[in-house]
Amino acid sequence: MNTLSHLAIIMDGNGRWANAQDLPRAKGHEKGALVVREVTTYAAKAGVRMLTLYAFSTENWKRPSTEVDFLMKLLAKFLKQELPTLLEHNIRFDVMGDMHPFSPSLKKAIAHTKEATAHNTGLTQVLALNYGGWDEIARAAQRLASAHTPITPDALEGALDNPIPVDLLIRTGGEMRLSNFLLWQAAYAELRFTPTLWPAFTCKELEELMDSFTQANRRFGGL
Ligand code: IPE
Ligand code: IPE
Ligand code: MG
C-alpha cells in the first residue's frame, strides 16, 4: 500500500464547463475556486501532507487580458475568502512560481496568507502561480551558477521552489499532458487523467483516484 504524501492537481476545464452551459468562462473559474476549497479540506482530512494546485501557468499570460485580469482578481478574492477555512483546518498556505510579475497588492495578500497560516501543522496547500517547470528549473540552475555550486541532481533539486516529489498527479478536463507542471517533481509520480471538468470534480472522484494510487505498484526503477 502506497502512502499519499504529496498530491498535485492540474485543475483544467473551467472554461469548457462554463461554455457547456452558456455561461461566460469567468463563471467556470469562480465555480472552480469553490471546488478548490472542497478538495483541499478533503485532502487535509485524508491525511495528505501537501496539495499542489496548478492555478496559473507561465503560459497563461497568453490569454486575452480580460481573462488574465479576472483571474488575478479572483486570486485576490480567493486569498481573502479562504483564510478562515485554512485556519479552521490547520492548513498551511504556500506558493511556488515566480511572483515578480504580480501586482504589489496581490504579493501582499499572498505574503499575508502565508504568514497567517505559517504555524499550522496539517496539510500544506501550495498554489502554483505564474508557475512553469522550465522556468523553475532554469531559475534553480541560475541560483547554483551564481553561487558557483556544481550542478548535480541533488543540488538542482535543492534549489527548486519546492523539491518535494509528487506521489499522485491528477489532471481533470480530459487532456493527457503535463502543460509544464512540476516537470522535475513528477518524475516518478503516478499519473491519473479524468475527463471530468474541474468545476464538476467531486471529492468522491478524488477518493476513487486516491484509492487507485494506493494499489499502484511503484517500482522507482527497481524490481
Ligand atoms: C483551467 O481551466 C484554469 C486555468 C488555466 C486558469 P481553463 O481555463 O484552462 O479551462 P479550459 O481548459 O479552457 O476549459
Ligand atoms: C494548465 O491548463 C494550466 C492550469 C491548469 C493552470 P491549460 O489549459 O493552460 O493547458 P493547455 O493549454 O491545455 O495545455
Ligand atoms: Mg485549459
Side-chain angles (χ1 to χ4, degrees):
M1 285 257 286
N2 304 308
T3 305
L4 178 50
S5 180
H6 187 181
L7 169 64
I9 306 182
I10 301 175
M11 311 182 288
D12 195 24
N14 291 352
R16 280 166 284 161
W17 179 87
N19 284 342
Q21 34 211 316
D22 282 329
L23 293 169
R25 289 177 57 86
K27 290 288 168 200
H29 296 311
E30 273 175 357
K31 177 66 171 52
L34 296 177
V35 177
V36 168
R37 183 191 296 168
E38 285 166 29
V39 162
T40 301
T41 49
Y42 180 86
K45 284 183 196 154
V48 174
R49 299 301 307 153
M50 180 170 279
L51 172 65
T52 303
L53 299 166
Y54 207 5
F56 194 85
S57 78
T58 45
E59 285 73 37
N60 287 147
W61 298 104
K62 292 180 199 164
R63 295 186 179 199
S65 61
T66 46
E67 175 152 344
V68 171
D69 290 349
F70 179 83
L71 287 169
M72 295 302 137
K73 284 199 190 97
L74 182 63
L75 190 54
K77 191 171 141 197
F78 175 85
L79 290 169
K80 207 167 161 191
Q81 209 167 266
E82 293 312 298
L83 188 56
T85 308
L86 299 177
L87 294 173
E88 182 190 338
H89 294 278
N90 194 24
I91 297 165
R92 195 166 72 87
F93 174 80
D94 207 351
V95 288
M96 70 190 305
D98 180 0
M99 300 300 118
H100 287 106
F102 294 128
S103 70
S105 68
L106 190 53
K107 279 190 249 192
K108 216 171 133 190
I110 290 167
H112 175 71
T113 308
K114 276 173 68 167
E115 278 161 30
T117 62
H119 299 293
N120 287 347
T121 54
L123 175 94
T124 300
Q125 181 200 56
V126 182
L127 284 194
L129 300 173
N130 187 31
Y131 175 83
W134 296 327
D135 180 61
E136 182 191 29
I137 294 166
R139 283 187 289 107
Q142 184 58 59
R143 264 178 222 139
L144 297 182
S146 300
H148 304 288
T149 305
I151 299 178
T152 62
D154 282 349
L156 194 53
E157 186 162 277
L160 295 172
D161 293 349
N162 179 3
I164 300 181
V166 174
D167 296 306
L168 171 62
L169 191 155
I170 295 170
R171 180 171 186 145
T172 64
E175 311 290 1
M176 290 193 239
R177 55 179 173 247
L178 291 178
S179 300
N180 204 8
F181 190 43
L182 301 176
L183 298 181
W184 182 287
Q185 297 87 339
Y188 274 98
E190 292 295 317
L191 307 178
R192 298 289 182 276
F193 300 94
T194 167
T196 306
L197 303 170
W198 177 250
F201 190 68
T202 61
C203 294
K204 184 171 179 300
E205 189 172 3
L206 176 59
E207 186 184 11
E208 286 163 12
L209 294 167
M210 283 168 48
D211 282 348
S212 103
F213 163 82
T214 314
Q215 309 298 328
N217 180 4
R218 303 182 81 192
R219 289 183 290 278
F220 298 97
L223 296 178

